[in-house]
Amino acid sequence: MNTLQHAWQRARRRRALITLLLGLPWALAATVLALRLAGFDVACVVGTVSLLACAAFATARARQLDRQWLQRQLDGSGASEDSADLLFADAATLNPLQQRQRAHVLATLERAMPELRPRWPHGALALCWIAGLAIVALAVGWPRSSPVSAPARTAAPGGTAAAGPLHLQSTRLRIDAPAYTGQATLTQNALDAKVAADSRLSWSLRFDRAPDKAWLQFHDGRRLPLSEHDGQWQAQDVARTPVLYRVVSEPALAETRLHRLDVVADRAPSVRVLEPAASLVLGTPGQQQWALRFEASDDYGVAAQATLSITTTQGSGENITFVRRNVSLTGNGEPTARRFAHTLDLAALGAQPGNDVIAQLEVRDNHAPTPQTGRSSSVILRLPSAEVALGAELEGRIKKTLPAYFRSQRQIIIDAEALIRQRRSLAAEDFVKRSDAIGVDQRILRLRYGQFLGEESEGAPKPPPTSDLPTSDAPAADSHNEDHDHDHDHGAEAGAHDEHGHDHGGKASNADAPPVFGSATDVLSEYGHTHDHAEAATLLDPQTRATLKAALDQMWSAEGELRQGRPEQALPFAYKALGFIKQVQQAERIYLARVGPELPPIDEGRRLGGDRAGLASRELPLAARTPPDPAIIEAWQRLGDDTATPDLDALATWQQRNAAYLPDALDLAAAIEQLRIEPGCRDCRQRLRAQLWRTLQRPLPQAMRRSAADAMGQRYLDALEAQP
């Protein structure tokens, strides 16, 4: 059965090959005719369609050799003994006699397989190829209709005019980017392109008939002649600046349009500092190394070698010296994004405590012939001196101690909940001690927040209950400054009392002297003292003060329960206090600096003397605005009038002179050139007018005049004037 399948497939391939060989000469002839008559673009389309048609027709012809065709061929050759249908039937459905006959036929075909492949149509193949090659030869060798001698063209000028305008049959633009960009050569049919700077451009144009001359006209007035070679009009140029251009010929083209050529300049490489994260790094005492990492990126590629500049400052004051060194680094990664890493040995650099080490990386790109450079921002390592290190160490020790005195309300809740969970594993005495310790923390936090309501400490003497005393926070002091009787005292509590350096419970040395009635100074010395927090409390709005007072009330209740060994009863008060504290944190507060103005002393001798020596003029100099070019204003006004035509040459000259200051110089140039090509185009006039409006300076904003008063307002004003 495998032998039969192979013979069948060979027959189908022979039929497809014969069909392709018969159709290829006609496809070739059609492609050459299209190239001759319609140009390269049309020829490519015709050739592609012809090949696809030949392939589809060959496949369809091969599929005609199906199973029925194979049965007919086998039965007609006599090798199957008219039993070819048994070969493709299911063996399970055959009776024993049919199965025996099927096996006999298969054995016969294995010994002698008849020829199933169709014969080669030599005559038809020869005729098709001769006819196709003849058509190709005629298309290539047929003389052109346009090549006539120059004298004949001069003698009969009317013949060219009678032929009508020229038409572009095909266009091709080849772009060879500079080698350093790594871009492959690009060939396109469109004449608009966006290319890299210094790319080599090659134009190849084909007209329906040969013009007298042709060139590329650029918007800046430059001309690039086109030369004819084998029917193609070619030109070459190097792209350096963005330009607009159009194809011009004699005789003129039937359709002329502008083409835009954008030139992308090579950007300088950029360098980003990856490590350290900050530009100024404070070193640690005894630091010996400093790790640096940079990333350099470029649009076309960064050179593998870079230079790391290291500057070390030594000395202080006016006796500072600079020592500069350069280290060559090799980057890794993609050419467009390389990374450079280096670790500085501070001892080898001679950096001492109190010195600065400044590092900066400089990279180059692959631009030819002169590479562009890019530098990173400078990073500074400041090695601390012995005095600074000692001060920092002392400050660090203080910071490590302070958090033990000031606990947050959330932490107090967490500690209380943890203590409740550990009740079964703790002795009763230990449980009460730990609960009491948490109560002390609650007390310290309450005192800290109470400072913002004028409450300094506990145990201070209370002012007498009289309305004459100017103490607005007296109720707060009465509710929170009462001291509980506790069995044990804690050191943290004493630290909280002494943090301001005041003795709140003591009295002045002259306490025996009776106070003067009504004296604010004696009242303050008797019952309290001024403090920053007390003054800051007056800057809180009443609602915030009330919320903070409610938080202190809840802290007071929570403290009492904790000090008595009942953390379960203290948790509701602690949670309420936390909620009030959050509201206070979200409230708006005002903080004023307690620094008075330092005004210079007034010279009494110069007052009212009329001496104006040394006084400068207070009039601010006003910079005069450059007035807009009146020619541009006139052109803009003319474009609004359909009957007036602006001077396009003057506009083009002005555009070239001010190209660096215009928002989009090429768009303005395109609008000018398009109106030059189509003088009667109304849309072109409006487009140019819109571009000119963008170049005009905006008028300065003027003060809005007050609207006139209505009848009621006027009666009100008259009544005001009538009053004596």
Side-chain angles (χ1 to χ4, degrees):
M1 193 67 177
N2 292 335
T3 304
L4 179 61
Q5 291 288 343
H6 292 328
W8 185 16
Q9 294 298 329
R10 287 196 299 269
R12 300 181 76 170
R13 287 195 293 268
R14 174 71 65 83
R15 173 68 70 86
L17 182 59
I18 291 174
T19 306
L20 281 176
L21 292 177
L22 290 174
L24 281 178
W26 303 109
L28 179 62
T31 303
V32 174
L33 283 175
L35 178 64
R36 177 70 178 184
L37 298 177
F40 179 78
D41 297 339
V42 178
C44 291
V45 175
V46 171
T48 303
V49 173
S50 301
L51 290 177
L52 292 176
C54 291
F57 188 64
T59 303
R61 290 273 296 168
R63 289 180 178 178
Q64 291 178 357
L65 305 184
D66 53 3
R67 184 180 298 177
Q68 288 75 12
W69 174 86
L70 181 60
Q71 293 179 9
R72 291 195 302 269
Q73 292 296 113
L74 293 177
D75 292 339
S77 63
S80 63
E81 299 178 359
D82 294 335
S83 301
D85 55 337
L86 298 177
L87 299 177
F88 303 99
D90 188 4
T93 60
L94 300 178
N95 56 38
L97 181 60
Q98 290 175 332
Q99 293 179 1
R100 185 174 180 181
Q101 178 65 16
R102 182 175 183 273
H104 173 69
V105 172
L106 287 176
T108 302
L109 293 177
E110 289 290 338
R111 291 192 302 269
M113 176 63 66
E115 181 63 37
L116 299 178
R117 293 180 297 180
R119 297 180 180 180
W120 289 100
H122 299 287
L125 288 174
L127 181 61
C128 289
W129 278 96
I130 291 173
L133 293 177
I135 294 174
V136 170
L138 288 175
V140 173
W142 192 266
R144 301 177 183 271
S145 58
S146 58
V148 294
S149 61
R153 189 164 55 242
T154 305
T160 304
L166 293 176
H167 293 83
L168 274 174
Q169 287 187 342
S170 63
T171 58
R172 185 165 49 184
L173 176 61
R174 173 172 174 171
I175 305 169
D176 295 315
Y180 71 86
T181 62
Q183 297 179 355
T185 299
L186 176 64
T187 302
Q188 61 182 29
N189 296 329
L191 296 182
D192 298 270
K194 188 175 184 179
V195 301
D198 298 329
S199 296
R200 188 162 190 83
L201 307 176
S202 301
W203 288 269
S204 181
L205 311 177
R206 181 183 290 275
F207 300 91
D208 58 348
R209 66 180 189 274
D212 297 339
K213 59 180 180 179
W215 66 92
L216 301 179
Q217 180 67 52
F218 295 92
H219 78 280
D220 55 2
R222 185 168 56 96
R223 285 188 176 188
L224 183 61
L226 293 169
S227 58
E228 193 271 339
H229 181 71
D230 292 338
Q232 301 283 341
W233 291 78
Q234 301 174 352
Q236 292 184 349
D237 195 15
V238 178
R240 292 187 174 88
T241 57
V243 291
L244 295 168
Y245 71 98
R246 65 180 188 271
V247 181
V248 183
S249 65
E250 292 183 0
L253 288 171
E255 181 181 0
T256 302
R257 61 180 297 265
L258 284 173
H259 305 283
R260 180 164 180 161
L261 191 63
D262 289 308
V263 178
V264 181
D266 184 16
R267 299 191 303 269
S270 60
V271 187
R272 183 167 60 96
V273 181
L274 300 180
E275 187 180 353
S279 58
L280 177 60
V281 181
L282 299 179
T284 57
Q287 182 176 351
Q288 298 296 326
Q289 292 182 340
W290 189 29
L292 300 172
R293 289 196 307 125
F294 304 89
E295 183 182 48
S297 59
D298 188 70
D299 43 6
Y300 297 122
V302 180
Q305 298 296 324
T307 302
L308 179 63
S309 176
I310 307 168
T311 304
T312 306
T313 64
Q314 299 176 353
S316 61
E318 298 181 355
N319 299 324
I320 296 180
T321 59
F322 299 89
V323 179
R324 184 170 181 176
R325 300 177 179 86
N326 292 330
V327 179
S328 180
L329 301 182
T330 302
N332 52 23
E334 297 293 332
T336 56
R338 295 188 186 272
R339 293 200 172 188
F340 300 85
H342 186 68
T343 301
L344 295 180
D345 188 354
L346 302 180
L349 294 175
Q352 302 295 331
N355 298 158
D356 291 348
V357 180
I358 307 170
Q360 186 181 39
L361 185 69
E362 179 178 337
V363 299
R364 296 180 301 275
D365 62 3
N366 299 325
H367 186 273
T370 304
Q372 301 181 99
T373 60
R375 295 179 179 85
S376 69
S377 58
S378 297
V379 288
I380 305 173
L381 173 65
R382 181 158 295 169
L383 299 176
S385 60
E387 295 79 4
V388 175
L390 181 60
E393 183 179 0
L394 180 59
E395 183 182 358
R397 291 178 180 176
I398 295 175
K399 287 182 179 179
K400 291 180 182 178
T401 307
L402 285 179
Y405 290 96
F406 299 111
R407 309 288 294 276
S408 66
Q409 185 66 25
R410 188 182 300 276
Q411 186 63 42
I412 291 174
I413 294 174
I414 294 173
D415 293 344
E417 292 177 344
L419 179 61
I420 293 173
R421 290 193 297 268
Q422 298 174 3
R423 175 189 289 274
R424 296 183 179 180
S425 61
L426 294 175
E429 184 179 357
D430 295 339
F431 181 82
V432 173
K433 286 183 178 181
R434 291 184 57 178
S435 178
D436 182 67
I438 299 175
V440 172
D441 293 339
Q442 180 68 84
R443 178 172 178 268
I444 296 172
L445 184 63
R446 177 176 58 82
L447 293 176
R448 185 184 182 191
Y449 279 104
Q451 294 171 359
F452 292 97
L453 290 178
E455 301 175 4
E456 295 283 345
S457 62
E458 297 180 352
K462 303 182 180 63
T466 175
S467 59
D468 296 336
L469 297 179
T471 53
S472 60
D473 294 336
D478 293 339
S479 60
H480 296 294
N481 289 345
E482 298 176 359
D483 199 0
H484 287 279
D485 294 332
H486 304 299
D487 296 335
H488 26 270
D489 193 7
H490 294 271
E493 181 179 341
H497 284 297
D498 297 334
E499 66 166 345
H500 300 295
H502 300 297
D503 185 7
H504 301 286
K507 296 193 176 183
S509 59
N510 57 352
D512 298 335
V516 179
F517 180 79
S519 175
T521 305
D522 292 335
V523 170
L524 286 176
S525 63
E526 178 70 18
Y527 299 106
H529 63 279
T530 59
H531 195 274
D532 291 347
H533 294 294
E535 294 181 4
T538 62
L539 301 179
L540 298 176
D541 58 276
Q543 183 179 0
T544 304
R545 287 173 55 84
T547 306
L548 183 57
K549 186 177 182 300
L552 294 180
D553 291 339
Q554 299 299 325
M555 289 183 184
W556 182 277
S557 301
E559 176 190 344
E561 299 294 340
L562 288 170
R563 298 297 293 267
Q564 298 179 37
R566 297 195 296 266
E568 294 90 346
Q569 289 80 356
L571 280 180
F573 301 109
Y575 272 111
K576 291 181 180 179
L578 178 61
F580 287 130
I581 291 173
K582 292 300 181 183
Q583 296 180 20
V584 172
Q585 291 176 352
Q586 296 172 1
E588 295 183 356
R589 284 153 288 181
I590 305 173
Y591 297 95
L592 298 178
R594 300 183 67 244
V595 178
E598 298 180 0
L599 300 177
I602 300 176
D603 187 4
E604 300 291 343
R606 298 186 59 185
R607 296 189 64 184
L608 304 178
D611 184 9
R612 301 181 57 86
L615 296 180
S617 175
R618 295 186 178 183
E619 295 182 358
L620 297 177
L622 298 178
R625 296 188 66 194
T626 304
D629 194 341
I632 301 302
I633 298 179
E634 182 182 359
W636 181 80
Q637 294 173 348
R638 283 177 172 270
L639 288 170
D641 186 2
D642 295 339
T643 60
T645 303
D647 189 353
L648 298 181
D649 294 335
L651 278 179
T653 303
W654 182 87
Q655 181 270 337
Q656 296 172 17
R657 187 172 61 253
N658 299 274
Y661 309 101
L662 297 176
D664 196 336
L666 277 188
D667 282 351
L668 178 58
I672 296 173
E673 295 299 321
Q674 193 64 36
L675 184 58
R676 193 193 304 272
I677 296 172
E678 304 178 52
C681 177
R682 183 179 180 84
D683 293 339
C684 300
R685 295 175 65 92
Q686 295 300 324
R687 191 178 303 114
L688 177 56
R689 196 166 189 260
Q691 291 294 334
L692 288 178
W693 175 257
R694 297 177 60 190
T695 63
L696 295 177
Q697 294 182 358
R698 299 295 182 269
L700 293 176
Q702 302 294 331
M704 298 293 294
R705 294 184 61 86
R706 181 179 298 176
S707 58
D710 54 4
M712 182 179 296
Q714 189 63 39
R715 288 197 300 270
Y716 176 75
L717 295 177
D718 295 342
L720 290 178
E721 294 179 356
Q723 291 181 359

